[in-house]
Amino acid sequence: MECPKEPLESQCSLSEMDDFDLTRALDKPRLKIERKRSFDERSMSELSTGYSRHDLDMAHSPGSRSFVDTPLSYVRNSFEPHPMVAEAWEALRRSMVFFRGQPVGTIAAYDHASEEVLNYDQVFVRDFVPSALAFLMNGEPDIVKNFLLKTLQLQGWEKRVDRFKLGEGVMPASFKVLHDPVRKTDTIVADFGESAIGRVAPVDSGFWWIILLRAYTKSTGDLTLSETPECQRGIRLILSLCLSEGFDTFPTLLCADGCSMVDRRMGVYGYPIEIQALFFMALRSALSMLKHDEEGREFIEKIVKRLHALSFHMRNYFWLDFQQLNDIYRYKTEEYSHTAVNKFNVMPDSIPDWVFDFMPLRGGYFVGNVSPARMDFRWFSLGNCVAILSSLATPDQSMAIMDLLEHRWEELVGEMPLKICYPCIESHEWRIVTGCDPKNTRWSYHNGGSWPVLLWMLTAACIKTGRPQIARRAIDLIESRLHRDCWPEYYDGKLGRYVGKQARKYQTWSIAGYLVAKMMLEDPSHIGMISLEEDKQMKPVLKRSASWTC
């Protein structure tokens, strides 16, 4: 969710643009292809302890809804749904945004009690993802297709911040539909970072767009959208931004603070785990959709090379468990040459005290950031969940992440799933790292706040690792409070006990995240649209250098 912005300004609009019309795009023939199941025999066997045979055998076939206001998931299951579900669907539909009569997304929040609308009445790319998944799971793909096409069209705009031109492949952070009742016209105004807090372009928008395009394709079996020249070009433009050669010696993606869900200064500049995991997932998603033509083959070759390097780098240098923590604790510094063990020259004295008590004997996670002389030991939930879903994490690492989550339930989940990061930063460190940000105070917002939207990613990770009981426990917590509190954006406090001090009510992705989590537990085959199985070719022996074997 973006932070308050200045009034929207843009040099472009869609009011006069006829190319790529949504109505014509929806008229294209759709291939009827049976949707691929999400699990192989191995993972289905692992899940059998968490689900009944009826649940596992149930397949979802895309189609129209049986009743006007009844989600398909109600019809497919005989049990009585939680009363929150129907109200969540009603709230989600209220948030829908229309352009020329066609639904193109959902606004960030529908909070009429708030005096300031700010930018919460816009459609955000990252915010729309759980809404899109909910619609796909409910057999309503048209709004997702419209969104993908409209944001793709916005990508083609010339993007400038002051006098500087942004990369051609940058996707918007958000857009707003302006209705003129007199002229009876609709106009779209987009934000590419020029109106954002800190004026930072969203690095994650392009990755989420690719991931969502694959989810649409997997859910509907409609290959015609991803194979259009426009979508193929859109994918290549996004990839060209992050696969370009430069001075960096790491396969990870260098980026600034504020370029992702953590959209304010929080000390995540450099190589944040959220961006690296989304980068990895987007590369794998793109690899499955790019055509093997002359242009496509060039990018496919680059992707394969980058994936091998990125998986090796992340699984080695970002991974932290008890043994690795002990190794870092005993690091020598000022090492040179390729035989160095402490390759990034991390000072053992920089390890924060909390990590030693936090790390269990069984369990582990991907740390927040790794760069020269710096290791951010904070836990970031989105990055770790996406690492599981994308198979950036090995099967053993995925299980270790879940072990850590169970072992540190009170710290990472508490009374409201799920901590966006742990622990918070405070006092002098807070002043230095956040620039005295009054919104990111201790245990609030991005600084250790609890975000209900993260429930869907947690649930997907639980299903993939065969631990659905963890997701059920988290959903029980959500159902005890979220509706009563009017679906807030985030919660404050060490245990997530209090509604966030500046949290909007009826936050759309809080609503959609709950629905997606419920539907995935009802029908675990849904996870296939967002999860990627492990690539057996990306399993190199985990060695940092020859010196590690000594």
Side-chain angles (χ1 to χ4, degrees):
M1 178 61 224
E2 283 274 355
C3 303
K5 300 177 182 172
E6 299 173 357
L8 283 166
E9 295 180 359
S10 179
Q11 300 175 352
C12 309
S13 77
L14 288 180
S15 58
E16 305 300 327
M17 301 178 74
D18 292 323
D19 54 317
F20 229 36
D21 184 71
L22 291 178
T23 306
R24 283 183 287 144
L26 285 173
D27 290 337
K28 290 183 178 180
R30 178 179 298 172
L31 295 179
K32 293 296 183 181
I33 300 175
E34 184 179 356
R35 195 182 69 166
K36 182 180 178 181
R37 296 290 292 179
S38 56
F39 305 110
D40 53 21
E41 293 180 1
R42 173 192 57 79
S43 55
M44 289 290 279
S45 175
E46 291 173 354
L47 280 171
S48 62
T49 56
Y51 293 99
S52 68
R53 193 68 251 168
H54 171 74
D55 292 331
L56 291 174
D57 289 340
M58 194 177 300
H60 171 212
S61 300
S64 59
R65 296 164 66 206
S66 301
F67 302 100
V68 175
D69 295 317
T70 305
L72 285 177
S73 57
Y74 292 9
V75 180
R76 289 197 305 270
N77 295 281
S78 58
F79 58 84
E80 185 71 22
H82 194 282
M84 253 177 70
V85 173
E87 298 195 29
W89 274 110
E90 182 181 347
L92 181 61
R93 297 194 191 284
R94 278 203 309 267
S95 71
M96 292 171 65
V97 173
F98 293 82
F99 178 77
R100 296 178 181 172
Q102 297 287 342
V104 292
T106 52
I107 60 172
Y110 196 78
D111 187 1
H112 288 306
S114 175
E115 295 180 359
E116 292 182 296
V117 175
L118 300 175
N119 60 352
Y120 285 78
D121 61 346
Q122 297 181 38
V123 180
F124 284 84
V125 173
R126 76 174 67 96
D127 291 43
F128 181 65
V129 171
S131 296
L133 295 178
F135 286 122
L136 287 174
M137 291 177 185
N138 199 47
E140 301 177 63
D142 285 352
I143 185 174
V144 182
K145 186 172 186 176
N146 292 342
F147 171 85
L148 290 167
L149 290 171
K150 192 51 61 182
T151 47
L152 181 62
Q153 189 177 0
L154 295 173
Q155 183 194 39
W157 285 8
E158 183 179 86
K159 301 168 276 285
R160 290 184 180 273
V161 176
D162 293 330
R163 298 181 181 181
F164 184 70
K165 184 178 179 181
L166 277 67
E168 190 177 3
V170 173
M171 281 287 185
S174 64
F175 65 84
K176 182 175 182 177
V177 178
L178 302 176
H179 302 285
D180 187 334
V182 177
R183 297 182 179 180
K184 296 182 179 180
T185 58
D186 290 347
T187 305
I188 282 187
V189 182
D191 173 29
F192 294 90
E194 71 271 24
S195 299
I197 292 290
R199 301 301 189 266
V200 179
V203 177
D204 63 336
S205 287
F207 297 152
W208 278 124
W209 186 88
I210 292 176
I211 293 166
L212 187 55
L213 178 60
R214 176 188 174 271
Y216 170 86
T217 304
K218 292 283 289 183
S219 174
T220 63
D222 178 12
L223 301 177
T224 58
L225 180 61
S226 63
E227 291 183 351
T228 59
E230 295 86 357
C231 280
Q232 290 290 307
R233 182 174 183 271
I235 294 172
R236 294 195 301 268
L237 285 176
I238 294 169
L239 295 178
S240 66
L241 287 175
C242 46
L243 294 177
S244 58
E245 296 176 348
F247 290 98
D248 212 327
T249 57
F250 314 135
T252 40
L253 201 62
L254 181 65
C255 43
D257 252 330
C259 65
S260 59
M261 181 180 176
V262 180
D263 60 7
R264 298 166 76 98
R265 181 177 165 189
M266 269 291 291
V268 299
Y269 63 89
Y271 307 91
I273 179 60
E274 176 177 339
I275 291 297
Q276 311 316 316
L278 286 172
F279 180 32
F280 184 87
M281 192 169 193
L283 288 178
R284 291 201 63 195
S285 297
L287 192 61
S288 68
M289 294 186 292
L290 280 171
K291 287 184 176 180
H292 287 254
D293 53 20
E294 185 176 349
E295 292 178 300
R297 281 195 299 269
E298 179 184 349
F299 278 92
I300 288 170
E301 183 179 346
K302 289 181 179 180
I303 290 172
V304 170
K305 290 180 179 178
R306 190 62 166 263
L307 283 172
H308 279 277
L310 185 59
S311 61
F312 178 84
H313 185 93
M314 296 297 296
R315 292 170 181 178
N316 281 271
Y317 306 124
F318 274 68
W319 182 251
L320 188 71
D321 54 21
F322 182 83
Q323 183 58 52
Q324 177 62 5
L325 179 60
N326 205 159
D327 291 341
I328 296 172
Y329 176 68
R330 302 179 69 250
Y331 266 168
K332 295 179 181 179
T333 58
E334 309 301 321
E335 293 183 301
Y336 296 88
S337 85
H338 65 278
T339 60
V341 173
N342 186 1
K343 289 190 175 183
F344 298 95
N345 200 35
V346 174
M347 306 297 165
D349 286 345
S350 70
I351 304 175
D353 292 338
W354 66 265
V355 178
F356 295 104
D357 295 327
F358 179 75
M359 182 62 70
L361 291 176
R362 291 178 64 250
Y365 65 103
F366 289 98
V367 297
N369 219 315
V370 176
S371 57
R374 179 188 180 211
M375 186 172 284
D376 183 348
F377 290 88
R378 284 178 294 176
W379 150 278
F380 287 87
S381 55
L382 192 154
N384 277 274
C385 287
V386 172
I388 293 174
L389 295 176
S390 65
S391 290
L392 171 60
T394 66
D396 287 343
Q397 288 174 337
S398 296
M399 297 304 288
I401 292 171
M402 301 310 296
D403 287 341
L404 176 77
L405 191 68
E406 281 195 300
H407 196 81
R408 293 299 177 197
W409 183 267
E410 186 169 340
E411 291 92 335
L412 302 180
V413 181
E415 296 183 17
M416 177 55 64
L418 180 66
K419 287 290 179 198
I420 189 171
C421 73
Y422 180 87
C424 72
I425 50 179
E426 51 190 328
S427 304
H428 181 63
E429 185 183 12
W430 168 79
R431 286 189 286 271
I432 297 269
V433 172
T434 72
C436 300
D437 188 348
K439 195 165 186 177
N440 275 328
T441 52
R442 62 194 297 267
W443 304 116
S444 180
Y445 204 49
H446 301 137
N447 189 14
S450 299
W451 292 69
V453 63
L454 297 171
L455 176 69
W456 80 261
M457 279 178 268
L458 172 63
T459 301
C462 290
I463 293 172
K464 185 172 182 181
T465 54
R467 313 275 274 272
Q469 69 278 5
I470 299 178
R472 288 196 182 101
R473 185 179 176 189
I475 289 175
D476 286 344
L477 288 174
I478 287 277
E479 290 181 335
S480 69
R481 293 195 56 193
L482 195 62
H483 173 257
R484 184 185 68 197
D485 294 336
C486 300
W487 311 94
E489 178 184 16
Y490 64 95
Y491 285 77
D492 285 353
K494 200 167 185 178
L495 296 176
R497 181 172 292 173
Y498 306 99
V499 175
K501 58 184 176 182
Q502 295 187 41
R504 284 298 188 277
K505 300 293 183 69
Y506 294 96
Q507 187 78 18
T508 303
W509 68 356
S510 296
I511 296 164
Y514 165 71
L515 288 172
V516 171
K518 289 287 284 187
M519 285 189 283
M520 280 193 293
L521 274 182
E522 291 174 13
D523 182 356
S525 73
H526 284 314
I527 195 181
M529 71 176 74
I530 200 67
S531 174
L532 291 156
E533 295 299 332
E534 185 182 19
D535 186 342
K536 305 300 183 183
Q537 295 180 350
M538 280 192 290
K539 293 184 66 177
V541 178
L542 297 182
K543 292 183 180 178
R544 290 174 177 79
S545 66
S547 61
W548 278 95
T549 59
C550 300

